[in-house]
Amino acid sequence: MTQLSATQYKRRLKRIAEHPAMSAENITADRASMDKAAAIMIGIGALLLALTAAGAVIVNGRHALASYAVGVYAVTAISLGAMFWVMVFELVRSGWSAGVRRQFENVMMNIPLCVVLIAPILIFELAAGGVLFHWMMGDADEYLVNKKSAYLNPAFLAVRFLLYGGIWILLAMKLWGYSMAQDQTGDRYLVNKARFTSSWGMLLFALSVAFFAFDFLMSPDYRFFSTMWGVYYFAGGTFSSIAVVAIICCLAKFFGRMTGAITAEHTHDMGKLMFGFTVFWGYIAFSQYFLIWYSNIPEEVAWYTHRKENGWEVLAWLLVFGHFLIPFIILLQRPVKRSLVGLAIVGVWLLVMTTIDKTWIVRPMVYIRDFAQNDPGPAGWWLDVVAAAGVFAVWGGFLVRRIARVPLIPVRDPRLLKALKHKNYV
Amino acid sequence: MSVEHPDQRTVEQLLGREPESSQPAPHDPGDGSLIDDPALEAPLVLGGRSLHEVTEIVCGYAERPAPKWWLPALLVSASVAGLGTMMILYLIITGVGVWGLNNQVNWAWDITNFVFWIGIGHAGTLISAILCLFKQKWRTAVNRSAEAMTIFAVTCAGIYPAIHVGRIWFIWMVFPIPNANAIWPNFRSPLLWDVFAVSTYATVSTLFWYMGMLPDFATLRDRADRRLRRAMASGGARSLPDTLRAYIYGVFALGWRFSNRHWHRYEVAYLILAGISTPLVLSVHSIVSFDFATSVVPGWHTTIFPPYFVAGAIFGGFAMVLLLLIPARELLPNFKDLLTLRHIENMAKILLVTGMMVGFAYAMEFFVAWYGANEFEFYVFMFNRAVPDWLHESGAPYWWAYWTMIFCNVVSPQVFWFRRCRQDVRIVWGVALLVTIGMWFERFVIIVTSLHRGWLPAQWHMFYPTIVDILTFVGTFGIFMTLFLLFLKFLPIFPMAEIKAVMPQADPHPDPEEAPAMAGARGDDPEAAGGAAPAPAPAHPEEGR
Amino acid sequence: MALADYLPIPTSKLPAPLRGPSTKFVLEDGTPVHGMLAQYSKTPDLVHAVEAVRDAGYKVWDSFSPFPIHGMEESMGFARTKLPYIIGVAGLSAAAMGYLLQWWISNDYQMVVQGKPYTAWEPFVPITFEIGILITAFTTLLGMFAFNGLPRHHHPLYQSERFLSSSDDKFFVYIEATDERFDPEATRKLLEKTHPDHIELIGQRD
């Protein structure tokens, strides 16, 4: 037998629909209250971002933009990480993830928002002739900047940004479109189309994410270079997107949704992936630092020495312990991985840590030229919290809005029955 | 709770609505495993085999007389291995001067071969560990032979650094052994990390391989035991081979008796071993890459080396798995029932993915060599590697090595975008061969093209291999093939217990409604599956043996 | 459980205390009964049978299958193994010892290499990791054997030729005579209700 007959397939869909976990209450969110929550989150986010703008005037414009960029780069990594997981689930014909995939898709669909959020950074940089992007500024080393000018020039940067945004939005829309269409029509072969899209999409995804990371997180310090950089940025999105999905599922459970659809088994698998990719991040981060530390080549190692002094070393050690060792030990525990609440708590922690990771990368750029200029020191640190929280609130608000608008699981995915019955080996 | 939702109708209509279908054009289902319907799961064992038939097929390889080609093949491999061993002896007696190394190119084929073999040695643990963690059930068909290849390849790899040290009788100094001179090893040297990484990897891979084989040894022991009992009951003589089997397999089985309390701990332990093997695989090839990347040699120092080496190792390892298993699939009876076209297709896809990963790394290296604005770094990539000497005066005579690498590793797997190529074993085998060649050249390109031009033109030297270089390399293939042929004859080459565990008969709570979803399944009794399945071929046809 | 089963010598050659506990039931030829074995030929049958035995309250019993069956710990009602905790402790302490070894040696035998600090933590990471993994792997395998009571030279079950099929395609439930609820009649009745292919008594022989 090479395919299920139409009658058999109809019977399959009927069995899925009759599953006790598939009742309408269980798999749809309460839209009115979700919309209210979303409005509140977006409102708070807008307020915080307005405060950031005020901070740009009162405290320091570069500081404010850097703090805003930290939040934006973090949420972009998370959204891209979610897209990565959607594509991976499709590529490997993953059965267990059929239910949770919808939440990854919801996170993925915040990519257009991320592109919109990145745009102001680029606009400010271009308009001001370099705020954080040192190579745009007049005092950059002429020899290096001239050598790199074929790549590092404002016009090409803008074109590349549009290209990255275009690729991401195209891929997200296509994958989302298949999933939505399947909810409506129950056409099982859309799965194959999504798989094909994921195959070439993964190639574009890898290149675009790597060069996005080069352009926005690495090249501001134009002297520094690392071939690993794209992988490092990507690694930051893999586990944090799972963290967001774990939080969503935990809240859904709290409000009595997805009971029986997301069980301890699915949580366990998400926990394993979260664990594995936290370790992956540690591996990439360590390898990159280690090779640069060991070779001690000036133009590379200066980037790290700059981030190991003037107080930034506190963040560096916080990352070593908070971002790797502590989650490693905690997520090693089976009971934590099997508990949605435990996973959500670790998830929140990891989201904080991934934001601190971006802070450690981006914020020292403020002091690249003139350490003391206009810097009120600790008195201005509220900006870091306010800006990142503002970005996260807006991003989360749009996420909540989207969650309320579609069923919480892909209701007509042919693999859903397998996912509902999913059980781990040991 | 009242729920107002725009998709309410979708949910409610689920029961009644007719699903649409944009079914693609029908295609050849191959041997029956190439099912394209997402609602179905492809069968992992073909021919509607029962549990007993799986035992018969797998044990048959170890119990029945070897096929006709086996002994000649073993003799040839063992002779080549002997030749290689003689070369190694010659080297030890004479000194490393018998190789083509010179002052500038002081690492060449020896380290190339080391990295090549250790890379091949990564696929086994990848299949066993990573695919096990990701619950990719298709791994059961290939994991045993891939793990065997891991160990044999690491054996071959371990030879090179050991003989490369020159005075091999001092090799013990790499271990932190208290000694009269109070000399300790240098723990800040990447070469010492290699010692620990490779020896740990060899040990853990062997433990993992052995642990997987434990139940299968017990199966072989029980079968020999039963034959001995039957012979004694009928008053016949105990056959010597069966007595040997009962004892030898019995010793290795350590009294395993298939208890479910034991299975529980076994599975937990296996999963943990898989869990620690995964970072181990990553660490080993990362540490091998540290040998290069911690230096300041242009073309060696680049931060993407660790994941890039790992991807390359998986790439080369899968190519080797395909290179050996595709012929085995043709030559051994019933192999095709356990290693289906779907398995081949999946491995072809992994070749495509990992080929793209190394392609990504090549691109990043080249881009950053330019972007980094370090003249020496860019010179290595541009002139030592890419630009031919007949095109530019600074071009290198090694351009062909670089382009062989690009063609074999990046271009040739692109044929796997086409379904037809992934499903044709001849094409897959051809690409696997190209990839194996390409991965050898990758290491050669990294090592020799970077080294052969020093910082000053006076330090420029070409490398030419001597006959000893070549025969040592060929000899390691002999060692590898000898070990692999012995494995094919004497050990359980498929994990029987694991294959049985992914067969439909293993489901403790079978869902009668979903019986058709297990395509190609046949229960142990014919009426359970409708009795329509054709009668299976005998487990071990006598012809061709 | 008899010590003799772990040694490659016949039980009868051992002094009585080492022969293991004997039960009040004997076979027709006077051999003490070791337990009762029931054979099944399908996975679901075995799962139903072990659930029945579990619900009947037996403690000293086991089931056998040619491959691991998922969810067996619930069906048989035994607790999840504590092996992972032992492995975790062993692995982490081995890694710590590995770090200490390098730190101590590098301090003791100071070599100037690239002007790097003698005891910088970075270069010690690879070997720390490898030693941790190595000891973890050994603890995993040896711990699994130790918890399972392996290696074991002999088991009375292997007197039954049928039981040899447990490594092929048959499934078994075995209730040992040392279980306080064991009674040849009652136990046989319980097992018969689970539709086995065959039931037999196993004696405590060599």
Side-chain angles (χ1 to χ4, degrees), chain A residues 3 148 187-188 227 283 294, chain B residues 22-23 37 188 286 371:
Chain A
Q3 68 174 61
K148 300 183 183 192
D187 180 358
R188 57 188 138 155
T227 39
Y283 161 68
Y294 207 103
Chain B
S22 62
Q23 191 191 339
D37 183 349
R188 282 170 288 161
S286 300
Y371 174 86

Side-chain angles (χ1 to χ4, degrees), chain B residues 115-132 138-154 201 205 208-209 270 277-278 280-282 284-285 309-325 347 350-351 354 435-436 439 443 480:
Chain B
V115 183
F116 171 74
W117 278 117
I118 199 94
I120 285 173
H122 279 61
T125 313
L126 174 96
I127 293 170
S128 301
I130 300 184
L131 297 185
C132 171
W138 61 272
R139 85 186 186 102
T140 52
V142 282
N143 72 341
R144 179 62 48 73
S145 27
E147 285 165 37
M149 269 179 233
T150 291
I151 292 157
F152 308 151
V154 173
Y201 186 59
S205 307
F208 199 34
W209 189 47
Y270 196 83
S277 298
T278 305
L280 177 66
V281 180
L282 264 69
V284 173
H285 226 53
F309 266 50
V310 173
I314 295 163
F315 185 49
F318 263 101
M320 186 58 104
V321 169
L322 284 166
L323 212 51
L324 292 186
L325 288 190
M347 287 194 272
I350 290 188
L351 277 193
T354 47
V435 168
T436 308
M439 284 312 290
R443 281 66 179 249
F480 182 79

Side-chain angles (χ1 to χ4, degrees), chain C residues 103-116:
Chain C
W103 180 85
W104 176 69
I105 287 180
S106 301
N107 233 357
D108 180 57
Y109 189 69
Q110 297 189 334
M111 270 179 280
V112 180
V113 179
Q114 298 184 321
K116 293 200 158 48

Side-chain angles (χ1 to χ4, degrees), chain B residues 33-95:
Chain B
S33 63
L34 300 174
I35 290 167
D36 210 25
D37 183 349
L40 278 176
E41 278 181 65
L44 293 162
V45 176
L46 291 176
R49 297 294 182 184
S50 66
L51 297 174
H52 177 67
E53 281 168 337
V54 170
T55 316
E56 284 291 331
I57 291 172
V58 179
C59 293
Y61 299 134
E63 289 169 351
R64 288 170 175 259
K68 286 190 201 80
W69 51 266
W70 185 81
L71 193 61
L74 182 74
L75 286 176
V76 170
S77 313
S79 313
V80 175
L83 188 66
T85 314
M86 273 155 59
M87 290 302 129
I88 292 168
L89 269 177
Y90 175 55
L91 173 102
I92 291 172
I93 293 166
T94 318

Side-chain angles (χ1 to χ4, degrees), chain C:
Chain C
M1 197 201 290
L3 180 63
D5 290 329
Y6 290 89
L7 305 172
I9 39 173
T11 321
S12 51
K13 300 218 169 124
L14 280 172
L18 296 182
R19 282 184 210 159
S22 59
T23 52
K24 52 190 170 179
F25 306 108
V26 290
L27 296 179
E28 285 161 8
D29 61 355
T31 334
V33 171
H34 189 270
M36 189 177 286
L37 183 69
Q39 177 189 316
Y40 306 83
S41 46
K42 285 208 194 72
T43 319
D45 292 351
L46 177 77
V47 174
H48 295 144
V50 297
E51 281 165 357
V53 176
R54 172 198 67 190
D55 295 340
Y58 285 91
K59 295 279 173 271
V60 192
W61 65 289
D62 208 344
S63 72
F64 302 85
S65 57
F67 49 83
I69 297 171
H70 302 133
M72 215 43 173
E73 63 262 41
E74 286 117 62
S75 302
M76 281 178 72
F78 58 82
R80 193 181 155 78
T81 174
K82 296 273 174 282
L83 185 60
Y85 294 95
I86 295 173
I87 295 169
V89 170
L92 291 176
S93 39
M97 292 302 288
Y99 187 88
L100 214 61
L101 170 91
Q102 299 176 74
W103 180 85
W104 176 69
I105 287 180
S106 301
N107 233 357
D108 180 57
Y109 189 69
Q110 297 189 334
M111 270 179 280
V112 180
V113 179
Q114 298 184 321
K116 293 200 158 48
Y118 296 121
T119 50
W121 63 273
E122 290 94 340
F124 296 163
V125 170
I127 295 183
T128 305
F129 176 79
E130 299 299 335
I131 292 180
I133 292 286
L134 183 67
I135 300 302
T136 310
F138 273 108
T139 318
T140 308
L141 190 68
L142 299 181
M144 187 270 287
F145 282 136
F147 275 52
N148 282 348
L150 297 175
R152 177 164 177 154
H153 184 254
H154 182 255
H155 194 281
L157 272 172
Y158 283 100
Q159 294 160 42
S160 163
E161 196 188 314
R162 285 172 177 278
F163 185 71
L164 294 178
S165 298
S166 65
S167 61
D168 183 2
D169 61 345
K170 294 286 185 280
F171 307 83
F172 295 88
V173 168
Y174 185 59
I175 303 179
E176 293 193 21
T178 46
D179 190 295
E180 55 188 26
R181 285 172 189 266
F182 183 85
D183 174 78
E185 293 306 311
T187 306
R188 181 179 288 269
K189 242 179 218 145
L190 171 74
L191 288 174
E192 267 167 2
K193 267 189 246 162
T194 60
H195 312 296
D197 299 347
H198 182 82
I199 296 182
E200 63 183 302
L201 276 172
I202 303 287
Q204 178 79 59
R205 291 198 194 85
D206 286 343

